[in-house]
Amino acid sequence: DTRDPKELKKIWRGDAEGCLARGAIGTARALYNCALSRLPGKKGLWLDLANIETRYGDVDSLNAVLKRATEACPNAEMLWLMRAKQMWNQGDVDEARGVLAIAFQHSPESEAIHLAAVKLESDNGEIARARKLLINARRLCNSPKVWMQSAQLERMNGNTTQALALCEDGLKDHPNFGKLW
């Protein structure tokens, strides 16, 4: 088929949505898988298929789709975040860490991936790990949110002097970010 990939994507998506509306879940899955065999780098198609598995599939089918998606679209941070969250929701913190570690290899400057890793560690009581991740995040992506999260982590753990110092340091690079004031 020599049609434009955008046109093919639109056709397959429309056909799959029609199948879903009629309750033909298996056919919709097949259409998305066919589309992805031709257009494996289309993040939106992977998200659509992941949504089908979330609504109609099981844990294993969703995990398989998210694994394939991150392999096909290694720079799509949303897919990595979905995959890590899925592992975490299943109680597999080590697997979620592993997914985020691979995501860092593909997007080392991603604020969202850094902050997801910090949340994973802090919510699981691994404050020292969260601190190390934040130090790295401040160096690699140096965003106002990273500085704010750094200060909040220290404040929540009773280190108000360190929290204030982080706010002051963050304001040097981000003087207009009101939440650091």
Side-chain angles (χ1 to χ4, degrees):
D1 197 330
T2 59
R3 286 184 274 191
D4 177 53
K6 284 183 182 181
E7 183 183 346
L8 289 172
K9 179 179 166 183
K10 184 178 176 181
I11 291 168
W12 274 315
R13 181 176 272 149
D15 289 348
E17 287 173 5
C19 289
L20 288 173
R22 292 186 300 280
I25 310 307
T27 306
R29 274 189 186 108
L31 284 166
Y32 275 112
N33 280 305
C34 181
L36 287 163
S37 72
R38 290 282 307 276
L39 305 169
K42 295 297 183 184
K43 174 180 67 172
L45 293 174
W46 286 111
L47 290 170
D48 291 345
L49 183 56
N51 286 331
I52 288 173
E53 295 307 333
T54 299
R55 289 192 1 234
Y56 305 107
D58 57 27
V59 169
D60 293 333
S61 65
L62 178 56
N63 288 344
V65 165
L66 291 172
K67 184 176 188 318
R68 288 174 44 219
T70 53
E71 289 168 354
C73 301
N75 295 318
E77 70 181 29
M78 170 67 80
L79 295 171
W80 287 107
L81 294 171
M82 287 175 68
R83 186 174 169 197
K85 187 172 185 174
Q86 178 67 12
M87 295 294 108
W88 187 9
N89 287 343
Q90 293 172 29
D92 195 341
V93 174
D94 287 335
E95 184 66 25
R97 278 186 189 118
V99 167
L100 291 170
I102 297 168
F104 278 129
Q105 293 173 9
H106 296 286
S107 300
E109 296 177 3
S110 168
E111 174 188 85
I113 293 171
H114 281 281
L115 293 179
V118 169
K119 181 169 177 46
L120 175 73
E121 298 303 348
S122 64
D123 285 3
N124 284 285
E126 297 288 345
I127 304 307
R129 283 184 182 203
R131 280 188 182 112
K132 284 182 182 179
L133 287 166
L134 284 164
I135 289 167
N136 202 31
R138 291 192 303 265
R139 183 177 54 80
L140 290 172
C141 62
N142 189 21
S143 74
K145 279 186 175 181
V146 166
W147 285 96
M148 181 184 68
Q149 289 297 322
S150 298
Q152 284 183 339
L153 180 73
E154 296 306 331
R155 182 184 54 82
M156 289 172 33
N157 287 284
N159 302 320
T160 53
T161 303
Q162 180 64 18
L164 288 172
L166 285 163
C167 287
E168 289 172 8
D169 288 345
L171 284 168
K172 291 174 187 170
D173 288 338
H174 308 286
N176 297 324
F177 190 67
K179 292 183 179 183
L180 290 174
W181 285 99

